[in-house]
Amino acid sequence: MAEIASLVIVGRWIGVVPVLLLVIAAGIAGVSLIRAGGMTIAEVLRRPSRLEPAPANPGLTGVFRAIAGLLLILPGFVSDTAALALLFPPVQQMITGFLTGFAKKPSPPSGQVIDAEAIEIEDQSIDSGASRPDRRN
């Protein structure tokens, strides 16, 4: 709904034809960003990790480019704004830090912890008519 509303509002300000041209240009830019992101990810996967040191998070840069490209393909200016924000390294670092912190958070203990010892008991079969075997402590 926000995407359609943004198209209508911007269309009233600048006209229908410029909005259509902007949507088409954003789609073309999105496809090129997806391609560039995919190439970056492919280079990271092909690089022998032992021979040359990798720059800081090149794979994540490719992932952010690909996500930004997908958002640019969607018609509307809200997703385009989010896509452009994803291309800035400070935004990428903030999102990466948030996801890393979220993944490293220890989960709170659920319920009580019961400390106990296990005792191994020999396998004995009990007949219904037989007397009970002696219990061991």
Side-chain angles (χ1 to χ4, degrees), residues 28-69:
I28 293 170
V31 169
S32 66
L33 273 176
I34 291 172
R35 182 178 220 173
M39 295 301 283
T40 303
I41 294 169
E43 287 175 16
V44 169
L45 293 175
R46 275 186 283 194
R47 179 181 299 125
S49 60
R50 293 184 208 133
L51 300 178
E52 52 186 274
N57 296 329
L60 285 177
T61 302
V63 170
F64 282 118
R65 282 184 188 163
I67 293 171

PDB file of all heavy atoms in Angstrom, residues 28-69:
ATOM      1  N   ILE A  28      16.207  -1.429 -13.985  1.00  0.00           N
ATOM      2  CA  ILE A  28      17.469  -1.717 -14.681  1.00  0.00           C
ATOM      3  C   ILE A  28      18.633  -1.663 -13.700  1.00  0.00           C
ATOM      4  O   ILE A  28      19.521  -2.525 -13.716  1.00  0.00           O
ATOM      5  CB  ILE A  28      17.669  -0.735 -15.860  1.00  0.00           C
ATOM      6  CG1 ILE A  28      16.616  -1.000 -16.928  1.00  0.00           C
ATOM      7  CG2 ILE A  28      19.077  -0.842 -16.430  1.00  0.00           C
ATOM      8  CD1 ILE A  28      16.556   0.055 -18.022  1.00  0.00           C
ATOM      9  N   ALA A  29      18.635  -0.662 -12.817  1.00  0.00           N
ATOM     10  CA  ALA A  29      19.688  -0.569 -11.803  1.00  0.00           C
ATOM     11  C   ALA A  29      19.639  -1.773 -10.861  1.00  0.00           C
ATOM     12  O   ALA A  29      20.680  -2.285 -10.439  1.00  0.00           O
ATOM     13  CB  ALA A  29      19.540   0.729 -11.015  1.00  0.00           C
ATOM     14  N   GLY A  30      18.439  -2.228 -10.549  1.00  0.00           N
ATOM     15  CA  GLY A  30      18.296  -3.391  -9.681  1.00  0.00           C
ATOM     16  C   GLY A  30      18.884  -4.644 -10.292  1.00  0.00           C
ATOM     17  O   GLY A  30      19.579  -5.415  -9.623  1.00  0.00           O
ATOM     18  N   VAL A  31      18.624  -4.853 -11.567  1.00  0.00           N
ATOM     19  CA  VAL A  31      19.171  -6.027 -12.252  1.00  0.00           C
ATOM     20  C   VAL A  31      20.696  -5.961 -12.270  1.00  0.00           C
ATOM     21  O   VAL A  31      21.376  -6.964 -12.022  1.00  0.00           O
ATOM     22  CB  VAL A  31      18.597  -6.138 -13.686  1.00  0.00           C
ATOM     23  CG1 VAL A  31      19.332  -7.176 -14.494  1.00  0.00           C
ATOM     24  CG2 VAL A  31      17.110  -6.446 -13.624  1.00  0.00           C
ATOM     25  N   SER A  32      21.257  -4.790 -12.527  1.00  0.00           N
ATOM     26  CA  SER A  32      22.719  -4.678 -12.549  1.00  0.00           C
ATOM     27  C   SER A  32      23.308  -4.867 -11.152  1.00  0.00           C
ATOM     28  O   SER A  32      24.399  -5.426 -11.010  1.00  0.00           O
ATOM     29  CB  SER A  32      23.147  -3.345 -13.161  1.00  0.00           C
ATOM     30  OG  SER A  32      22.755  -2.278 -12.332  1.00  0.00           O
ATOM     31  N   LEU A  33      22.601  -4.422 -10.115  1.00  0.00           N
ATOM     32  CA  LEU A  33      23.094  -4.634  -8.749  1.00  0.00           C
ATOM     33  C   LEU A  33      23.048  -6.110  -8.365  1.00  0.00           C
ATOM     34  O   LEU A  33      23.952  -6.604  -7.689  1.00  0.00           O
ATOM     35  CB  LEU A  33      22.274  -3.815  -7.752  1.00  0.00           C
ATOM     36  CG  LEU A  33      22.735  -2.390  -7.518  1.00  0.00           C
ATOM     37  CD1 LEU A  33      21.777  -1.668  -6.588  1.00  0.00           C
ATOM     38  CD2 LEU A  33      24.132  -2.358  -6.938  1.00  0.00           C
ATOM     39  N   ILE A  34      22.013  -6.803  -8.774  1.00  0.00           N
ATOM     40  CA  ILE A  34      21.938  -8.236  -8.496  1.00  0.00           C
ATOM     41  C   ILE A  34      23.086  -8.960  -9.186  1.00  0.00           C
ATOM     42  O   ILE A  34      23.737  -9.825  -8.608  1.00  0.00           O
ATOM     43  CB  ILE A  34      20.575  -8.808  -8.922  1.00  0.00           C
ATOM     44  CG1 ILE A  34      19.469  -8.278  -8.014  1.00  0.00           C
ATOM     45  CG2 ILE A  34      20.590 -10.336  -8.913  1.00  0.00           C
ATOM     46  CD1 ILE A  34      18.077  -8.633  -8.462  1.00  0.00           C
ATOM     47  N   ARG A  35      23.353  -8.564 -10.406  1.00  0.00           N
ATOM     48  CA  ARG A  35      24.454  -9.186 -11.150  1.00  0.00           C
ATOM     49  C   ARG A  35      25.795  -8.889 -10.484  1.00  0.00           C
ATOM     50  O   ARG A  35      26.628  -9.790 -10.313  1.00  0.00           O
ATOM     51  CB  ARG A  35      24.443  -8.667 -12.581  1.00  0.00           C
ATOM     52  CG  ARG A  35      25.493  -9.283 -13.437  1.00  0.00           C
ATOM     53  CD  ARG A  35      25.374  -8.764 -14.837  1.00  0.00           C
ATOM     54  NE  ARG A  35      25.618  -9.868 -15.732  1.00  0.00           N
ATOM     55  CZ  ARG A  35      25.475  -9.821 -17.005  1.00  0.00           C
ATOM     56  NH1 ARG A  35      25.021  -8.743 -17.572  1.00  0.00           N
ATOM     57  NH2 ARG A  35      25.757 -10.851 -17.744  1.00  0.00           N
ATOM     58  N   ALA A  36      26.013  -7.639 -10.076  1.00  0.00           N
ATOM     59  CA  ALA A  36      27.272  -7.275  -9.415  1.00  0.00           C
ATOM     60  C   ALA A  36      27.410  -7.989  -8.067  1.00  0.00           C
ATOM     61  O   ALA A  36      28.500  -8.446  -7.713  1.00  0.00           O
ATOM     62  CB  ALA A  36      27.336  -5.758  -9.217  1.00  0.00           C
ATOM     63  N   GLY A  37      26.315  -8.073  -7.330  1.00  0.00           N
ATOM     64  CA  GLY A  37      26.356  -8.788  -6.054  1.00  0.00           C
ATOM     65  C   GLY A  37      26.655 -10.260  -6.231  1.00  0.00           C
ATOM     66  O   GLY A  37      27.437 -10.848  -5.481  1.00  0.00           O
ATOM     67  N   GLY A  38      26.060 -10.859  -7.243  1.00  0.00           N
ATOM     68  CA  GLY A  38      26.327 -12.261  -7.527  1.00  0.00           C
ATOM     69  C   GLY A  38      27.771 -12.497  -7.934  1.00  0.00           C
ATOM     70  O   GLY A  38      28.388 -13.489  -7.538  1.00  0.00           O
ATOM     71  N   MET A  39      28.333 -11.583  -8.710  1.00  0.00           N
ATOM     72  CA  MET A  39      29.734 -11.705  -9.109  1.00  0.00           C
ATOM     73  C   MET A  39      30.655 -11.581  -7.905  1.00  0.00           C
ATOM     74  O   MET A  39      31.646 -12.302  -7.790  1.00  0.00           O
ATOM     75  CB  MET A  39      30.082 -10.653 -10.168  1.00  0.00           C
ATOM     76  CG  MET A  39      29.333 -10.843 -11.476  1.00  0.00           C
ATOM     77  SD  MET A  39      29.645 -12.434 -12.233  1.00  0.00           S
ATOM     78  CE  MET A  39      31.237 -12.145 -12.914  1.00  0.00           C
ATOM     79  N   THR A  40      30.330 -10.665  -6.988  1.00  0.00           N
ATOM     80  CA  THR A  40      31.140 -10.499  -5.788  1.00  0.00           C
ATOM     81  C   THR A  40      31.106 -11.761  -4.938  1.00  0.00           C
ATOM     82  O   THR A  40      32.139 -12.219  -4.442  1.00  0.00           O
ATOM     83  CB  THR A  40      30.627  -9.299  -4.957  1.00  0.00           C
ATOM     84  OG1 THR A  40      30.652  -8.125  -5.774  1.00  0.00           O
ATOM     85  CG2 THR A  40      31.471  -9.082  -3.727  1.00  0.00           C
ATOM     86  N   ILE A  41      29.930 -12.327  -4.773  1.00  0.00           N
ATOM     87  CA  ILE A  41      29.803 -13.562  -3.991  1.00  0.00           C
ATOM     88  C   ILE A  41      30.555 -14.705  -4.674  1.00  0.00           C
ATOM     89  O   ILE A  41      31.245 -15.492  -4.015  1.00  0.00           O
ATOM     90  CB  ILE A  41      28.317 -13.914  -3.794  1.00  0.00           C
ATOM     91  CG1 ILE A  41      27.647 -12.854  -2.920  1.00  0.00           C
ATOM     92  CG2 ILE A  41      28.158 -15.298  -3.167  1.00  0.00           C
ATOM     93  CD1 ILE A  41      26.139 -12.957  -2.875  1.00  0.00           C
ATOM     94  N   ALA A  42      30.468 -14.781  -5.993  1.00  0.00           N
ATOM     95  CA  ALA A  42      31.166 -15.836  -6.735  1.00  0.00           C
ATOM     96  C   ALA A  42      32.682 -15.692  -6.592  1.00  0.00           C
ATOM     97  O   ALA A  42      33.404 -16.681  -6.440  1.00  0.00           O
ATOM     98  CB  ALA A  42      30.768 -15.811  -8.207  1.00  0.00           C
ATOM     99  N   GLU A  43      33.200 -14.467  -6.622  1.00  0.00           N
ATOM    100  CA  GLU A  43      34.639 -14.248  -6.447  1.00  0.00           C
ATOM    101  C   GLU A  43      35.097 -14.679  -5.061  1.00  0.00           C
ATOM    102  O   GLU A  43      36.169 -15.257  -4.907  1.00  0.00           O
ATOM    103  CB  GLU A  43      34.973 -12.773  -6.664  1.00  0.00           C
ATOM    104  CG  GLU A  43      34.908 -12.331  -8.100  1.00  0.00           C
ATOM    105  CD  GLU A  43      35.120 -10.833  -8.253  1.00  0.00           C
ATOM    106  OE1 GLU A  43      35.612 -10.195  -7.288  1.00  0.00           O
ATOM    107  OE2 GLU A  43      34.788 -10.310  -9.313  1.00  0.00           O
ATOM    108  N   VAL A  44      34.288 -14.400  -4.061  1.00  0.00           N
ATOM    109  CA  VAL A  44      34.644 -14.804  -2.700  1.00  0.00           C
ATOM    110  C   VAL A  44      34.683 -16.316  -2.592  1.00  0.00           C
ATOM    111  O   VAL A  44      35.575 -16.883  -1.961  1.00  0.00           O
ATOM    112  CB  VAL A  44      33.639 -14.200  -1.684  1.00  0.00           C
ATOM    113  CG1 VAL A  44      33.811 -14.811  -0.313  1.00  0.00           C
ATOM    114  CG2 VAL A  44      33.810 -12.703  -1.611  1.00  0.00           C
ATOM    115  N   LEU A  45      33.728 -16.983  -3.216  1.00  0.00           N
ATOM    116  CA  LEU A  45      33.693 -18.441  -3.140  1.00  0.00           C
ATOM    117  C   LEU A  45      34.819 -19.094  -3.935  1.00  0.00           C
ATOM    118  O   LEU A  45      35.281 -20.173  -3.588  1.00  0.00           O
ATOM    119  CB  LEU A  45      32.339 -18.954  -3.633  1.00  0.00           C
ATOM    120  CG  LEU A  45      31.138 -18.585  -2.763  1.00  0.00           C
ATOM    121  CD1 LEU A  45      29.853 -19.055  -3.419  1.00  0.00           C
ATOM    122  CD2 LEU A  45      31.281 -19.173  -1.378  1.00  0.00           C
ATOM    123  N   ARG A  46      35.279 -18.446  -4.993  1.00  0.00           N
ATOM    124  CA  ARG A  46      36.358 -19.010  -5.801  1.00  0.00           C
ATOM    125  C   ARG A  46      37.735 -18.754  -5.211  1.00  0.00           C
ATOM    126  O   ARG A  46      38.680 -19.458  -5.526  1.00  0.00           O
ATOM    127  CB  ARG A  46      36.330 -18.416  -7.205  1.00  0.00           C
ATOM    128  CG  ARG A  46      35.383 -19.130  -8.120  1.00  0.00           C
ATOM    129  CD  ARG A  46      35.508 -18.589  -9.474  1.00  0.00           C
ATOM    130  NE  ARG A  46      34.793 -17.307  -9.444  1.00  0.00           N
ATOM    131  CZ  ARG A  46      34.441 -16.614 -10.494  1.00  0.00           C
ATOM    132  NH1 ARG A  46      34.768 -17.026 -11.678  1.00  0.00           N
ATOM    133  NH2 ARG A  46      33.767 -15.500 -10.377  1.00  0.00           N
ATOM    134  N   ARG A  47      37.874 -17.731  -4.387  1.00  0.00           N
ATOM    135  CA  ARG A  47      39.170 -17.335  -3.848  1.00  0.00           C
ATOM    136  C   ARG A  47      39.677 -18.417  -2.891  1.00  0.00           C
ATOM    137  O   ARG A  47      38.987 -18.791  -1.960  1.00  0.00           O
ATOM    138  CB  ARG A  47      39.059 -16.023  -3.079  1.00  0.00           C
ATOM    139  CG  ARG A  47      40.370 -15.570  -2.485  1.00  0.00           C
ATOM    140  CD  ARG A  47      40.253 -14.286  -1.697  1.00  0.00           C
ATOM    141  NE  ARG A  47      39.805 -13.208  -2.568  1.00  0.00           N
ATOM    142  CZ  ARG A  47      38.731 -12.459  -2.322  1.00  0.00           C
ATOM    143  NH1 ARG A  47      38.014 -12.663  -1.254  1.00  0.00           N
ATOM    144  NH2 ARG A  47      38.384 -11.494  -3.137  1.00  0.00           N
ATOM    145  N   PRO A  48      40.895 -18.906  -3.129  1.00  0.00           N
ATOM    146  CA  PRO A  48      41.461 -19.864  -2.173  1.00  0.00           C
ATOM    147  C   PRO A  48      41.759 -19.132  -0.867  1.00  0.00           C
ATOM    148  O   PRO A  48      42.508 -18.168  -0.838  1.00  0.00           O
ATOM    149  CB  PRO A  48      42.731 -20.367  -2.841  1.00  0.00           C
ATOM    150  CG  PRO A  48      42.962 -19.516  -4.027  1.00  0.00           C
ATOM    151  CD  PRO A  48      41.748 -18.683  -4.267  1.00  0.00           C
ATOM    152  N   SER A  49      41.167 -19.578   0.194  1.00  0.00           N
ATOM    153  CA  SER A  49      41.248 -18.852   1.457  1.00  0.00           C
ATOM    154  C   SER A  49      42.639 -18.874   2.061  1.00  0.00           C
ATOM    155  O   SER A  49      43.005 -17.991   2.817  1.00  0.00           O
ATOM    156  CB  SER A  49      40.236 -19.414   2.454  1.00  0.00           C
ATOM    157  OG  SER A  49      40.522 -20.775   2.677  1.00  0.00           O
ATOM    158  N   ARG A  50      43.450 -19.861   1.732  1.00  0.00           N
ATOM    159  CA  ARG A  50      44.776 -19.947   2.345  1.00  0.00           C
ATOM    160  C   ARG A  50      45.793 -19.051   1.659  1.00  0.00           C
ATOM    161  O   ARG A  50      46.741 -18.608   2.277  1.00  0.00           O
ATOM    162  CB  ARG A  50      45.277 -21.382   2.289  1.00  0.00           C
ATOM    163  CG  ARG A  50      44.474 -22.315   3.137  1.00  0.00           C
ATOM    164  CD  ARG A  50      45.088 -23.701   3.106  1.00  0.00           C
ATOM    165  NE  ARG A  50      44.023 -24.664   3.317  1.00  0.00           N
ATOM    166  CZ  ARG A  50      43.828 -25.737   2.617  1.00  0.00           C
ATOM    167  NH1 ARG A  50      44.645 -26.056   1.648  1.00  0.00           N
ATOM    168  NH2 ARG A  50      42.828 -26.541   2.868  1.00  0.00           N
ATOM    169  N   LEU A  51      45.624 -18.801   0.374  1.00  0.00           N
ATOM    170  CA  LEU A  51      46.656 -18.111  -0.384  1.00  0.00           C
ATOM    171  C   LEU A  51      46.608 -16.595  -0.253  1.00  0.00           C
ATOM    172  O   LEU A  51      47.634 -15.957  -0.113  1.00  0.00           O
ATOM    173  CB  LEU A  51      46.560 -18.502  -1.861  1.00  0.00           C
ATOM    174  CG  LEU A  51      46.740 -19.997  -2.156  1.00  0.00           C
ATOM    175  CD1 LEU A  51      46.588 -20.262  -3.631  1.00  0.00           C
ATOM    176  CD2 LEU A  51      48.097 -20.460  -1.662  1.00  0.00           C
ATOM    177  N   GLU A  52      45.452 -16.025  -0.320  1.00  0.00           N
ATOM    178  CA  GLU A  52      45.357 -14.564  -0.243  1.00  0.00           C
ATOM    179  C   GLU A  52      44.316 -14.160   0.788  1.00  0.00           C
ATOM    180  O   GLU A  52      43.246 -14.738   0.856  1.00  0.00           O
ATOM    181  CB  GLU A  52      45.032 -13.971  -1.609  1.00  0.00           C
ATOM    182  CG  GLU A  52      43.824 -14.581  -2.287  1.00  0.00           C
ATOM    183  CD  GLU A  52      43.650 -14.053  -3.680  1.00  0.00           C
ATOM    184  OE1 GLU A  52      43.012 -12.997  -3.815  1.00  0.00           O
ATOM    185  OE2 GLU A  52      44.142 -14.684  -4.616  1.00  0.00           O
ATOM    186  N   PRO A  53      44.646 -13.183   1.604  1.00  0.00           N
ATOM    187  CA  PRO A  53      43.672 -12.762   2.619  1.00  0.00           C
ATOM    188  C   PRO A  53      42.491 -12.050   1.982  1.00  0.00           C
ATOM    189  O   PRO A  53      42.646 -11.276   1.038  1.00  0.00           O
ATOM    190  CB  PRO A  53      44.471 -11.805   3.516  1.00  0.00           C
ATOM    191  CG  PRO A  53      45.589 -11.316   2.648  1.00  0.00           C
ATOM    192  CD  PRO A  53      45.883 -12.429   1.681  1.00  0.00           C
ATOM    193  N   ALA A  54      41.337 -12.332   2.475  1.00  0.00           N
ATOM    194  CA  ALA A  54      40.116 -11.720   1.945  1.00  0.00           C
ATOM    195  C   ALA A  54      39.887 -10.381   2.623  1.00  0.00           C
ATOM    196  O   ALA A  54      40.178 -10.214   3.795  1.00  0.00           O
ATOM    197  CB  ALA A  54      38.930 -12.636   2.201  1.00  0.00           C
ATOM    198  N   PRO A  55      39.378  -9.393   1.891  1.00  0.00           N
ATOM    199  CA  PRO A  55      39.023  -8.139   2.535  1.00  0.00           C
ATOM    200  C   PRO A  55      37.863  -8.359   3.500  1.00  0.00           C
ATOM    201  O   PRO A  55      37.200  -9.388   3.464  1.00  0.00           O
ATOM    202  CB  PRO A  55      38.611  -7.230   1.372  1.00  0.00           C
ATOM    203  CG  PRO A  55      38.453  -8.109   0.199  1.00  0.00           C
ATOM    204  CD  PRO A  55      39.150  -9.405   0.476  1.00  0.00           C
ATOM    205  N   ALA A  56      37.633  -7.386   4.354  1.00  0.00           N
ATOM    206  CA  ALA A  56      36.604  -7.526   5.395  1.00  0.00           C
ATOM    207  C   ALA A  56      35.219  -7.664   4.778  1.00  0.00           C
ATOM    208  O   ALA A  56      34.742  -6.777   4.087  1.00  0.00           O
ATOM    209  CB  ALA A  56      36.644  -6.327   6.322  1.00  0.00           C
ATOM    210  N   ASN A  57      34.589  -8.788   5.004  1.00  0.00           N
ATOM    211  CA  ASN A  57      33.208  -9.084   4.616  1.00  0.00           C
ATOM    212  C   ASN A  57      32.867  -8.807   3.152  1.00  0.00           C
ATOM    213  O   ASN A  57      31.882  -8.143   2.869  1.00  0.00           O
ATOM    214  CB  ASN A  57      32.231  -8.317   5.511  1.00  0.00           C
ATOM    215  CG  ASN A  57      32.315  -8.760   6.944  1.00  0.00           C
ATOM    216  OD1 ASN A  57      32.604  -9.910   7.224  1.00  0.00           O
ATOM    217  ND2 ASN A  57      32.070  -7.842   7.846  1.00  0.00           N
ATOM    218  N   PRO A  58      33.644  -9.302   2.191  1.00  0.00           N
ATOM    219  CA  PRO A  58      33.270  -9.050   0.805  1.00  0.00           C
ATOM    220  C   PRO A  58      32.012  -9.804   0.409  1.00  0.00           C
ATOM    221  O   PRO A  58      31.244  -9.353  -0.433  1.00  0.00           O
ATOM    222  CB  PRO A  58      34.473  -9.541   0.010  1.00  0.00           C
ATOM    223  CG  PRO A  58      35.058 -10.614   0.868  1.00  0.00           C
ATOM    224  CD  PRO A  58      34.825 -10.150   2.287  1.00  0.00           C
ATOM    225  N   GLY A  59      31.796 -10.957   1.006  1.00  0.00           N
ATOM    226  CA  GLY A  59      30.590 -11.721   0.701  1.00  0.00           C
ATOM    227  C   GLY A  59      29.347 -11.001   1.165  1.00  0.00           C
ATOM    228  O   GLY A  59      28.312 -11.004   0.492  1.00  0.00           O
ATOM    229  N   LEU A  60      29.430 -10.365   2.327  1.00  0.00           N
ATOM    230  CA  LEU A  60      28.278  -9.611   2.827  1.00  0.00           C
ATOM    231  C   LEU A  60      27.988  -8.404   1.946  1.00  0.00           C
ATOM    232  O   LEU A  60      26.827  -8.047   1.752  1.00  0.00           O
ATOM    233  CB  LEU A  60      28.521  -9.162   4.268  1.00  0.00           C
ATOM    234  CG  LEU A  60      28.395 -10.259   5.318  1.00  0.00           C
ATOM    235  CD1 LEU A  60      28.719  -9.715   6.693  1.00  0.00           C
ATOM    236  CD2 LEU A  60      27.008 -10.838   5.302  1.00  0.00           C
ATOM    237  N   THR A  61      29.029  -7.794   1.408  1.00  0.00           N
ATOM    238  CA  THR A  61      28.811  -6.673   0.492  1.00  0.00           C
ATOM    239  C   THR A  61      28.028  -7.147  -0.720  1.00  0.00           C
ATOM    240  O   THR A  61      27.100  -6.475  -1.175  1.00  0.00           O
ATOM    241  CB  THR A  61      30.163  -6.072   0.055  1.00  0.00           C
ATOM    242  OG1 THR A  61      30.879  -5.652   1.215  1.00  0.00           O
ATOM    243  CG2 THR A  61      29.967  -4.893  -0.876  1.00  0.00           C
ATOM    244  N   GLY A  62      28.383  -8.311  -1.237  1.00  0.00           N
ATOM    245  CA  GLY A  62      27.650  -8.878  -2.374  1.00  0.00           C
ATOM    246  C   GLY A  62      26.213  -9.195  -2.023  1.00  0.00           C
ATOM    247  O   GLY A  62      25.297  -8.966  -2.820  1.00  0.00           O
ATOM    248  N   VAL A  63      25.996  -9.702  -0.812  1.00  0.00           N
ATOM    249  CA  VAL A  63      24.631 -10.016  -0.379  1.00  0.00           C
ATOM    250  C   VAL A  63      23.812  -8.737  -0.254  1.00  0.00           C
ATOM    251  O   VAL A  63      22.656  -8.673  -0.690  1.00  0.00           O
ATOM    252  CB  VAL A  63      24.653 -10.795   0.957  1.00  0.00           C
ATOM    253  CG1 VAL A  63      23.268 -10.908   1.550  1.00  0.00           C
ATOM    254  CG2 VAL A  63      25.269 -12.164   0.755  1.00  0.00           C
ATOM    255  N   PHE A  64      24.408  -7.698   0.321  1.00  0.00           N
ATOM    256  CA  PHE A  64      23.687  -6.427   0.447  1.00  0.00           C
ATOM    257  C   PHE A  64      23.380  -5.832  -0.922  1.00  0.00           C
ATOM    258  O   PHE A  64      22.317  -5.252  -1.138  1.00  0.00           O
ATOM    259  CB  PHE A  64      24.478  -5.423   1.294  1.00  0.00           C
ATOM    260  CG  PHE A  64      24.372  -5.679   2.766  1.00  0.00           C
ATOM    261  CD1 PHE A  64      25.490  -5.974   3.512  1.00  0.00           C
ATOM    262  CD2 PHE A  64      23.150  -5.621   3.412  1.00  0.00           C
ATOM    263  CE1 PHE A  64      25.403  -6.216   4.871  1.00  0.00           C
ATOM    264  CE2 PHE A  64      23.046  -5.853   4.776  1.00  0.00           C
ATOM    265  CZ  PHE A  64      24.176  -6.157   5.507  1.00  0.00           C
ATOM    266  N   ARG A  65      24.303  -5.967  -1.876  1.00  0.00           N
ATOM    267  CA  ARG A  65      24.044  -5.476  -3.235  1.00  0.00           C
ATOM    268  C   ARG A  65      22.878  -6.229  -3.869  1.00  0.00           C
ATOM    269  O   ARG A  65      22.024  -5.638  -4.523  1.00  0.00           O
ATOM    270  CB  ARG A  65      25.282  -5.641  -4.108  1.00  0.00           C
ATOM    271  CG  ARG A  65      26.335  -4.609  -3.891  1.00  0.00           C
ATOM    272  CD  ARG A  65      27.464  -4.820  -4.865  1.00  0.00           C
ATOM    273  NE  ARG A  65      28.573  -3.940  -4.554  1.00  0.00           N
ATOM    274  CZ  ARG A  65      29.791  -4.103  -5.012  1.00  0.00           C
ATOM    275  NH1 ARG A  65      30.063  -5.121  -5.810  1.00  0.00           N
ATOM    276  NH2 ARG A  65      30.740  -3.266  -4.695  1.00  0.00           N
ATOM    277  N   ALA A  66      22.873  -7.548  -3.700  1.00  0.00           N
ATOM    278  CA  ALA A  66      21.805  -8.353  -4.294  1.00  0.00           C
ATOM    279  C   ALA A  66      20.451  -8.013  -3.671  1.00  0.00           C
ATOM    280  O   ALA A  66      19.442  -7.889  -4.378  1.00  0.00           O
ATOM    281  CB  ALA A  66      22.115  -9.836  -4.122  1.00  0.00           C
ATOM    282  N   ILE A  67      20.413  -7.830  -2.357  1.00  0.00           N
ATOM    283  CA  ILE A  67      19.151  -7.461  -1.694  1.00  0.00           C
ATOM    284  C   ILE A  67      18.701  -6.079  -2.151  1.00  0.00           C
ATOM    285  O   ILE A  67      17.516  -5.855  -2.415  1.00  0.00           O
ATOM    286  CB  ILE A  67      19.304  -7.523  -0.161  1.00  0.00           C
ATOM    287  CG1 ILE A  67      19.503  -8.974   0.279  1.00  0.00           C
ATOM    288  CG2 ILE A  67      18.088  -6.923   0.531  1.00  0.00           C
ATOM    289  CD1 ILE A  67      19.871  -9.123   1.739  1.00  0.00           C
ATOM    290  N   ALA A  68      19.647  -5.152  -2.265  1.00  0.00           N
ATOM    291  CA  ALA A  68      19.306  -3.814  -2.757  1.00  0.00           C
ATOM    292  C   ALA A  68      18.774  -3.899  -4.184  1.00  0.00           C
ATOM    293  O   ALA A  68      17.822  -3.191  -4.544  1.00  0.00           O
ATOM    294  CB  ALA A  68      20.531  -2.898  -2.690  1.00  0.00           C
ATOM    295  N   GLY A  69      19.348  -4.761  -5.006  1.00  0.00           N
ATOM    296  CA  GLY A  69      18.862  -4.934  -6.366  1.00  0.00           C
ATOM    297  C   GLY A  69      17.437  -5.466  -6.397  1.00  0.00           C
ATOM    298  O   GLY A  69      16.603  -4.995  -7.184  1.00  0.00           O
TER     299      GLY A  69
END
